[in-house]
């Protein structure tokens, strides 16, 4: 069983809808949680970073961490076609940069 | 422009023919890392380097070598490539390798080993 599970999608939504993405993990030692966005034929880029439990908001993006359920989420409000990409969750147990990535969810936002 | 540059972008080779994928960053970062990305498996770390002449194994180091002779360069070497090393490879760097730092990725190298 993988340490971090993520539905591969694709998740197809109409423009303007809320995109809801999530990852589950098995190791309770994870404390740092990240979401990366990866466009086709590009490297991933960091979208959101959260430490421990709680919510974090940045513009149209909201990240939630529920450590008791070992579940993290990313919400994209007012989705745009430019949000079409693969979204990868990543997490780390300590302050070093050893990240464990999920497999990624492909998102398609249709105009 | 701050960036991580990988070359080549695409590479087709045959089993056993040694190859090197280059990686260079212009941000004076101490930490550099190599990942491979396979469908459904996400990104898996191959090797990383905390500074010049300091390298360490990641999760999937078998069949790969790295060196860090200069701060800006971190080449990935496949001494005898095999078909199971067909993958999309990414080089990444960050300032000191701490989790709360932004990790900058290159644009990737698509490798096919026949």
């Amino acid at each position: 069983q993988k340490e971090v599970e993520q539905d591969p999608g694709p998740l197809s939504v109409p423009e303007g809808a809320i995109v809801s993405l999530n990852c589950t993990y098995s190791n309770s030692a994870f404390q740092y949680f990240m979401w990366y966005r990866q466009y086709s034929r590009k490297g991933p880029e960091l979208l959101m970073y959260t430490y421990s439990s709680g919510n974090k908001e940045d513009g149209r993006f909201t990240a939630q961490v529920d450590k008791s359920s070992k579940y993290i989420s990313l919400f994209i409000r007012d989705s745009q076609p430019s949000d079409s990409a693969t979204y990868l969750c990543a997490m780390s147990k300590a302050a070093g940069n050893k990240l464990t990535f999920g497999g990624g969810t492909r998102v398609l936002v249709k105009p | 422009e701050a960036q991580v540059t990988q070359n080549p972008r695409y590479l087709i080779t045959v089993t056993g023919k040694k190859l090197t994928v280059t990686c260079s960053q212009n941000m004076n970062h101490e930490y550099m890392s190599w990942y491979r990305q396979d469908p459904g498996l996400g990104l898996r770390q191959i090797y990383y380097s905390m500074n010049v002449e300091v390298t360490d194994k990641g999760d999937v180091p078998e069949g790969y070598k790295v060196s860090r002779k200069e701060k800006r360069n971190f080449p990935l070497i496949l001494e005898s490539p095999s078909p199971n090393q067909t993958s999309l490879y990414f080089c990444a760097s960050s300032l000191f390798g701490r989790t709360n730092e932004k990790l900058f990725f290159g644009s990737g190298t698509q490798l096919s080993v026949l």
Side-chain angles (χ1 to χ4, degrees), chain A residues 20-23 25 33 35 48 50 52-57 61-67 71-75:
Chain A
S20 175
L21 303 165
N22 57 73
C23 284
Y25 61 95
F33 304 92
W35 285 95
M48 300 284 284
T50 314
S52 195
S53 284
N55 293 0
K56 185 173 183 178
E57 193 172 314
F61 299 90
T62 300
Q64 290 184 350
V65 175
D66 182 349
K67 288 187 72 180
Y71 188 91
I72 68 171
S73 301
L74 177 71
F75 300 96

Side-chain angles (χ1 to χ4, degrees), chain A residues 2 8 32-34 36 38 41-46 49 86 88 92 94-104, chain B residues 9-10 31 35 37 40-45 58-59 88 90 94 97-108:
Chain A
K2 295 183 217 171
Y32 301 82
F33 304 92
M34 285 135 275
Y36 282 80
Q38 185 177 18
R41 289 187 286 277
K42 295 285 188 183
E45 54 178 335
L46 182 65
Y49 169 88
T86 296
L88 300 150
S92 176
N97 221 357
K98 172 130 177 25
L99 298 177
T100 301
F101 285 85
Chain B
R9 287 294 305 273
Y10 302 93
Y31 178 89
Y35 293 86
Q37 186 174 31
L41 296 179
L43 287 155
R44 293 179 292 166
Q45 191 177 52
D59 297 316
L88 179 58
F90 287 101
S94 70
R98 298 186 191 125
T99 302
N100 61 348
E101 295 166 358
K102 183 176 177 180
L103 193 56
F104 290 80
F105 283 85
S107 293

Side-chain angles (χ1 to χ4, degrees), chain A residues 18-32:
Chain A
I18 294 175
V19 176
S20 175
L21 303 165
N22 57 73
C23 284
T24 58
Y25 61 95
S26 57
N27 194 327
S28 58
F30 286 128
Q31 296 192 69
Y32 301 82

Side-chain angles (χ1 to χ4, degrees), chain B residues 62-88:
Chain B
E62 295 77 22
Y64 304 95
K65 279 177 58 176
V66 292
S67 69
R68 187 94 182 272
K69 294 185 171 60
E70 307 164 281
K71 200 171 189 178
R72 63 184 293 126
N73 296 323
F74 190 44
L76 179 69
I77 302 155
L78 284 74
E79 295 268 2
S80 183
S82 62
N84 65 11
Q85 291 178 300
T86 292
S87 187
L88 179 58

Side-chain angles (χ1 to χ4, degrees), chain B:
Chain B
E1 182 192 353
Q3 59 185 4
V4 177
T5 304
Q6 289 177 236
N7 281 297
R9 287 294 305 273
Y10 302 93
L11 181 56
I12 301 174
T13 190
V14 295
T15 300
K17 187 175 180 182
K18 181 180 177 179
L19 66 92
T20 299
V21 184
T22 63
C23 175
S24 179
Q25 49 93 4
N26 63 358
M27 296 166 279
N28 202 36
H29 285 169
E30 292 191 2
Y31 178 89
M32 296 186 76
S33 181
W34 276 103
Y35 293 86
R36 60 178 289 173
Q37 186 174 31
D38 301 288
L41 296 179
L43 287 155
R44 293 179 292 166
Q45 191 177 52
I46 303 170
Y47 269 96
Y48 65 96
S49 170
M50 298 300 289
N51 213 326
V52 175
E53 301 292 1
V54 180
T55 63
D56 210 343
K57 296 177 182 178
D59 297 316
V60 288
E62 295 77 22
Y64 304 95
K65 279 177 58 176
V66 292
S67 69
R68 187 94 182 272
K69 294 185 171 60
E70 307 164 281
K71 200 171 189 178
R72 63 184 293 126
N73 296 323
F74 190 44
L76 179 69
I77 302 155
L78 284 74
E79 295 268 2
S80 183
S82 62
N84 65 11
Q85 291 178 300
T86 292
S87 187
L88 179 58
Y89 291 86
F90 287 101
C91 180
S93 74
S94 70
L95 193 53
F96 297 117
R98 298 186 191 125
T99 302
N100 61 348
E101 295 166 358
K102 183 176 177 180
L103 193 56
F104 290 80
F105 283 85
S107 293
T109 295
Q110 180 65 58
L111 172 65
S112 295
V113 183
L114 305 176

